[in-house]
Structure formats: structure tokens, C-alpha cells
């Protein structure tokens, strides 16, 4: 595996969604931009906000699609295609209902697991062999409550746990970017 060249955070655009659980992927790339001194700017040809930074000596782009979650695949694919970034060099950060708040997992490949952003992204990229950073947001308890849950603001305690997990992931990002996934997974998966 070569170095990660693109980190795409999944979320929904607009101020009304900014603090909702479904935007945990955006929260992650915002934290990366802050810690690695990058500035997002609108890139209309990619329907995204894009930033560029250097992580562990590697040039890396950060992306927040401006399409809604379930339509984000084409925007990520457009940016990756333009810069000729292979699927294996992409890290996608997204919320995950199956993990409690404060838990974060790094995963290679796999299906969409019912996540609408991944469901759209896999065919748009032409395959599923990309890295995922699964950010735990918890589950409301019943599947009928999922939509309302992911589109609501997290409690203070849940948001603090999610933010702490995101910070832990940002700390191991140099390992992830450089392809030292075992070291990153060991750190992340034992910390949370």
C-alpha cells in the first residue's frame, strides 16, 4: 500500500446539519485541517470543500463533499479521478451506528453496512478497497429511530467522547498516512 493521498469526510452540508451525529466524518477532517494547518476552500468542480496539507512528509488532500451524504460518492470519485488517486490511497471517515460514542475503528475494505454514504461511494469509486475510519456515534436502540437519531445533535457527553476519539485518530494519522496500519490499529483499537 502506498501513502494515503485523500481523506474524505462524509457528512451533510449546511449549518442545520453541522452539529448532527451524521457529520462525524466532517468533524474528523476539520480536526485534521486544524492540527496540520490546512484551510478548506470551495472547489466547485468537485462540489466539495477541499484542503491540502502535509502529513508525515506526504501530500494529502482533505475533502468535505457539498452533496448530501447519500449522493457523496460522485464528488469523492470526481476529486480522486482528477488527481489520479487510486481507491487504495483513499481514507473515508464516517459515522458508525454500530460503535458506541468514543470508539473509533480503522477498517480496510468491506461492504457499506447500511451506511448510505458508503452505499453511494462504493459503486462511484468502482470498488470497496479503500480505508474507512469508523467513528462511533451509538445507536438509538431501534432501527425506526435511526434517521431522527443521526440527524440530531449529540448529547454533551456523547460529543465529548466522539471528539476524544477523533483526537486519538488524528494523533495516529501519520501512521495511517504512511501505511503503518497495524501500528495505527493497535493504538486506536486498544485505546477505545
Amino acid at each position: 500500500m502506498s501513502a494515503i493521498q485523500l481523506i474524505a469526510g462524509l457528512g451533510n452540508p449546511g449549518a442545520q446539519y453541522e452539529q448532527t451525529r451524521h457529520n462525524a466524518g466532517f468533524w474528523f477532517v476539520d480536526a485534521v485541517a486544524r492540527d496540520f494547518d490546512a484551510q478548506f476552500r470551495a472547489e466547485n468542480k468537485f462540489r466539495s470543500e477541499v484542503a491540502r496539507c502535509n502529513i508525515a512528509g506526504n501530500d494529502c488532500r482533505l475533502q468535505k463533499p457539498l452533496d448530501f451524504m447519500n449522493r457523496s460518492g460522485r464528488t469523492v470519485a470526481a476529486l480522486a479521478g482528477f488527481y489520479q488517486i487510486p481507491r487504495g490511497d483513499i481514507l473515508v471517515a464516517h459515522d458508525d451506528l454500530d460503535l458506541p460514542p468514543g470508539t473509533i475503528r480503522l477498517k480496510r475494505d468491506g461492504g457499506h453496512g447500511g451506511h448510505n454514504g458508503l452505499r453511494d461511494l462504493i459503486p462511484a469509486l468502482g470498488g470497496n478497497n479503500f480505508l474507512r475510519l469508523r467513528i462511533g456515534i451509538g445507536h438509538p436502540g431501534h432501527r425506526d429511530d435511526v434517521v431522527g437519531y443521526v440527524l440530531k445533535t449529540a448529547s454533551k457527553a456523547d460529543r465529548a467522547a466522539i471528539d476524544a476519539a477523533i483526537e486519538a485518530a488524528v494523533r495516529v494519522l501519520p501512521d495511517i498516512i504512511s501505511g503503518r496500519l497495524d501500528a495505527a490499529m493497535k493504538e486506536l483499537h486498544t485505546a477505545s
Side-chain angles (χ1 to χ4, degrees):
M1 179 184 141
S2 55
I4 294 296
Q5 300 176 55
L6 171 61
I7 303 172
L10 299 186
N12 285 315
Q16 70 270 36
Y17 298 107
E18 209 168 278
Q19 299 304 318
T20 64
R21 292 176 180 91
H22 221 16
N23 276 30
F26 280 7
W27 301 345
F28 176 72
V29 291
D30 284 338
V32 174
R34 184 186 63 243
D35 284 20
F36 290 93
D37 199 28
Q39 300 293 320
F40 279 100
R41 67 177 191 277
E43 294 261 353
N44 292 333
K45 66 182 168 187
F46 304 126
R47 293 192 47 74
S48 299
E49 289 183 16
V50 180
R52 197 168 172 185
C53 58
N54 185 294
I55 303 172
N58 297 290
D59 186 34
C60 189
R61 284 180 171 76
L62 310 175
Q63 180 182 25
K64 295 193 289 187
L66 294 176
D67 284 331
F68 283 93
M69 175 77 77
N70 62 349
R71 299 287 307 258
S72 54
R74 65 181 175 173
T75 55
V76 175
L79 190 144
F82 183 83
Y83 290 109
Q84 299 180 349
I85 300 171
R87 280 189 309 269
D89 294 351
I90 299 172
L91 171 65
V92 176
H94 63 89
D95 62 302
D96 195 308
L97 286 162
D98 295 329
L99 298 173
T103 303
I104 203 153
R105 295 288 181 260
L106 187 61
K107 179 181 179 184
R108 189 190 327 242
D109 307 340
H112 57 71
H115 191 284
N116 287 333
L118 294 177
R119 188 189 313 268
D120 192 60
L121 189 60
I122 291 169
L125 288 176
N128 66 352
N129 58 323
F130 53 87
L131 280 176
R132 299 101 188 278
L133 189 70
R134 302 168 56 213
I135 303 164
I137 61 165
H139 197 285
H142 193 277
R143 65 183 180 144
D144 292 345
D145 300 327
V146 164
V147 172
Y149 179 79
V150 300
L151 295 178
K152 284 200 171 87
T153 302
S155 68
K156 281 188 179 180
D158 282 358
R159 181 61 192 259
I162 293 166
D163 287 344
I166 285 172
E167 288 307 318
V170 171
R171 282 194 300 275
V172 299
L173 195 55
D175 282 334
I176 297 170
I177 295 294
S178 302
R180 296 186 298 272
L181 300 184
D182 289 343
M185 285 180 182
K186 183 178 180 186
E187 182 75 23
L188 284 177
H189 298 183
T190 54
S192 58

